[in-house]
Amino acid sequence: MDVETLHAEDRRPRTHWEHFTRAELLGVRGVGRSMEQAFEMAALGLCALVTDPRSVEAHEELEVTCQSVDHDQLLADWLREVVGAMASRRLRFQCFAVRLDGLNLFGHGFGERAGQARHGTHVALTGASLTDVSVRQGPEGVWTAEALVDF
């Protein structure tokens, strides 16, 4: 690899998640070098609305499969599965792994059951609605997966 190629790769955005607001709603955005990474980061950003992922240990695994008609709907289905596990099983997540095969998603979440001693006072999560869901590829191949969330 020559120096010019190395510098071009260094300018690519890091894989990360972020929160944003639009029309008085809170949103989550995952950014990655692949669509899979963007989905993973969007789920982690969603979880960070409830508990800091750095305070979670990986003692339990959630396995999710989704199939949809397009990538936007697939992201919405994935995030709903994560919220469902957080609400029904009181899981909090540290990280995710996603594999996509066309419009089929195979995901894993790693975390533990919520506990006030480790995670502080947490939001009583019962579910969430998602709007303005979007999956897109931008300049230099960077992927963004985002949604507005209403708990």
Side-chain angles (χ1 to χ4, degrees), residues 13-16 30-35 37-38 41 141-145:
R14 279 184 328 118
T15 299
H16 67 279
V31 177
R33 295 182 178 133
S34 67
M35 190 184 314
Q37 286 182 338
M41 292 295 106
V142 175
W143 284 91
T144 302

Side-chain angles (χ1 to χ4, degrees), residues 20 22 28-32 34-40 42-43 68 70-79 98 100 102-103 105 131-138 141-148:
F20 65 94
R22 184 183 307 142
V28 295
R29 178 178 296 127
V31 177
S34 67
M35 190 184 314
E36 287 93 345
Q37 286 182 338
F39 274 52
E40 293 165 0
S68 197
D70 62 37
H71 290 117
D72 293 350
Q73 188 61 47
L74 191 61
L75 175 63
D77 292 345
W78 162 241
L79 295 178
V98 169
L100 295 174
L103 293 172
L105 179 145
T131 57
D132 290 345
V133 179
S134 170
V135 178
R136 62 190 181 281
Q137 187 175 26
V142 175
W143 284 91
T144 302
E146 66 182 30
L148 294 177

Side-chain angles (χ1 to χ4, degrees), residues 69-91:
V69 297
D70 62 37
H71 290 117
D72 293 350
Q73 188 61 47
L74 191 61
L75 175 63
D77 292 345
W78 162 241
L79 295 178
R80 281 189 198 98
E81 289 287 338
V82 171
V83 168
M86 291 173 66
S88 67
R89 294 176 50 192
R90 296 188 59 237
L91 289 176

Side-chain angles (χ1 to χ4, degrees), residues 15-64:
T15 299
H16 67 279
W17 60 265
E18 57 193 33
H19 297 147
F20 65 94
T21 56
R22 184 183 307 142
E24 298 183 20
L25 288 175
L26 194 56
V28 295
R29 178 178 296 127
V31 177
R33 295 182 178 133
S34 67
M35 190 184 314
E36 287 93 345
Q37 286 182 338
F39 274 52
E40 293 165 0
M41 292 295 106
L44 197 57
L46 178 68
C47 293
L49 291 171
V50 178
T51 300
D52 183 348
R54 296 173 297 189
S55 72
V56 178
E57 295 180 2
H59 297 296
E60 296 196 31
E61 180 178 357
L62 170 71
E63 187 173 335
V64 174

